[in-house]
Amino acid sequence: MAGPPPPLVTALRAPGADRSNALHAGAWWLWALGLATAASRTTNPLLLALVVAVAGYVVAARRTDAPWARSYGAFLRLGLAVLVIRLVFAVLLGSPIPGTHVVMTLPQVPLPGWAKGVRIGGRVTAEGLVFALRDGMKLAALLVCVGAANSLANPARLLKSLPGALYEAGVAVVVALTFAPHLVADVARLRAARRLRGRDDRGVRALLQVGLPVLEGALERSVALAAAMDARGYGRTAQVPPAVRRLTAALTLGGLLGVCAGTYALLSATGAGYGLPVLLLGVAAALAGLWLGGRRSVRTRYRPDRWGARAWLVSGSGVAVAALMIRATAYAPAALDPPAVPLTAPTLPLWPALSLLLGLLPAFVAPVPRPAAAPHGTPLPSPAPPKGATP
């Protein structure tokens, strides 16, 4: 007879999600931003496809039935549309990459002299198409990572965790982030209602008929949100000395500029050396400004979310993926950014691929979402007969 599992295995086993052990929403965003950073460091289509596969697997394993969790499919379709548009532009407007393998030749439209360097039509080369494909896949992978964060992180719980100085700005950001998921949910609900009534749910006419109820629902949610925000005292602040306000503004603005500059340097190909110190200084200044700015907030928090060990594992996996991919650009630049000229088949580098697989950790350590409750009146499944009994 097998004994009980070891204590370490029991501690790492993902429990069922409830309000007491729900993963911090910020951990999901850090994980997704780590994957996005890794995707921005490569144009290898195999590695970009692996990033999309890792994000999709984690979303499939830990997505709930909430309205915002249904937006991942919309981001996938948006990424595919971006890829197609990038290829169409490369065919119609040409590519900056010279090539010798001509795929087709389109009729070229003559342009005036002031449009020098721009062409419409002409030769379409395989090298230009490959360059456009890799460029479009990178942008599509970034959109997929953002969609994964939108599908996994509860925006309301993320708003609760923001510092007091960012409460007003955080409300605006959360409202903007929840607009797309609610819009997708409204469109799906109205299309299902049209199908149940025997009406066509495809085509331009059906889209126009669905648009008015979707707009009406958005306006109703806006009015309800404004009333709820006013009832909760949104925008009310405490009195602080003018010197503290000026110091808070200087620290916050300078810190955020440092964070932006450091992040851009880390994502660029040549600024990784000085990007990390600038990023750390910006984070320190921004945290000091946010701490001082929090003195103006008069709101309190009810049952704040805790940043537990599983949140550290989830966010740490994303940070580790980003750090390892940044490190890989030093010893495997050709594998991460294969040249389009001459045409070469992409290879899958071993260590960068293994580092991307660290992003699968949330699928095993994050709390397992509980299935949605069955609607009232749904018959329960009959219990299985005892072993050895005749059915």
Side-chain angles (χ1 to χ4, degrees):
M1 179 181 244
L8 180 61
V9 175
T10 305
L12 292 178
R13 183 177 298 169
D18 54 27
R19 189 170 182 84
S20 62
N21 64 358
L23 195 70
H24 199 285
W28 286 123
W29 272 101
L30 287 177
W31 167 80
L33 291 177
L35 289 183
T37 303
S40 68
R41 306 297 295 185
T42 179
T43 58
N44 190 322
L46 299 180
L47 292 178
L48 292 174
L50 187 57
V51 170
V52 175
V54 168
Y57 183 84
V58 174
V59 170
R62 292 298 182 265
R63 182 172 57 178
T64 64
D65 295 327
W68 62 82
R70 304 171 189 172
S71 62
Y72 184 71
F75 278 92
L76 279 177
R77 290 189 288 270
L78 179 60
L80 182 60
V82 167
L83 178 60
V84 172
I85 292 173
R86 183 66 181 87
L87 289 173
V88 170
F89 280 3
V91 171
L92 297 180
L93 304 179
S95 175
I97 300 299
T100 57
H101 298 78
V102 180
V103 177
M104 68 179 90
T105 302
L106 299 177
Q108 189 166 356
V109 179
L111 297 176
W114 54 265
K116 187 177 180 180
V118 180
R119 68 175 178 86
I120 300 178
R123 296 193 316 159
V124 179
T125 62
E127 290 84 355
L129 290 177
V130 169
F131 177 79
L133 176 66
R134 294 173 181 175
D135 198 25
M137 286 189 65
K138 177 190 287 191
L139 183 54
L142 295 177
L143 290 173
V144 168
C145 294
V146 174
N150 273 281
S151 301
L152 295 171
N154 187 337
R157 299 177 75 90
L158 181 63
L159 176 62
K160 283 180 55 178
S161 305
L162 286 178
L166 292 180
Y167 179 68
E168 286 79 8
V171 170
V173 173
V174 169
V175 170
L177 289 177
T178 55
F179 174 76
H182 283 296
L183 184 66
V184 172
D186 285 347
V187 172
R189 175 176 55 84
L190 292 171
R191 290 182 63 184
R194 289 181 63 86
R195 287 195 299 269
L196 289 176
R197 293 182 175 91
R199 300 178 182 177
D200 188 16
D201 62 333
R202 297 181 182 274
V204 178
R205 182 179 179 182
L207 181 62
L208 294 176
Q209 293 178 353
V210 168
L212 184 59
V214 169
L215 179 60
E216 182 181 357
L219 291 176
E220 290 179 354
R221 283 197 304 270
S222 300
V223 173
L225 178 63
M229 291 165 62
D230 184 68
R232 289 168 172 80
Y234 176 76
R236 300 174 186 174
T237 58
Q239 295 294 330
V240 294
V244 175
R245 289 202 302 268
R246 288 191 291 269
L247 179 61
T248 300
L251 287 175
T252 304
L253 183 59
L256 292 179
L257 288 176
V259 169
C260 293
T263 304
Y264 178 79
L266 287 176
L267 295 179
S268 64
T270 59
Y274 63 87
L276 184 59
V278 173
L279 178 62
L280 294 179
L281 289 176
V283 169
L287 290 178
L290 294 178
W291 178 76
L292 288 175
R295 299 171 60 183
R296 297 182 60 194
S297 177
V298 294
R299 69 186 182 97
T300 58
R301 293 180 181 178
Y302 174 67
R303 297 171 66 179
D305 293 338
R306 297 179 179 178
W307 191 282
R310 298 184 185 275
W312 282 112
L313 289 175
V314 170
S315 59
S317 65
V319 173
V321 168
L324 291 175
M325 285 296 291
I326 292 174
R327 178 67 181 86
T329 57
Y331 64 84
L336 296 184
D337 191 10
V341 179
L343 281 177
T344 54
T347 59
L348 184 64
L350 177 61
W351 291 112
L354 292 179
S355 65
L356 289 177
L357 293 181
L358 290 176
L360 294 173
L361 185 63
F364 304 98
V365 300
V368 182
R370 300 184 184 277
H376 182 70
T378 304
L380 297 176
S382 58
K387 186 176 181 180
T390 303

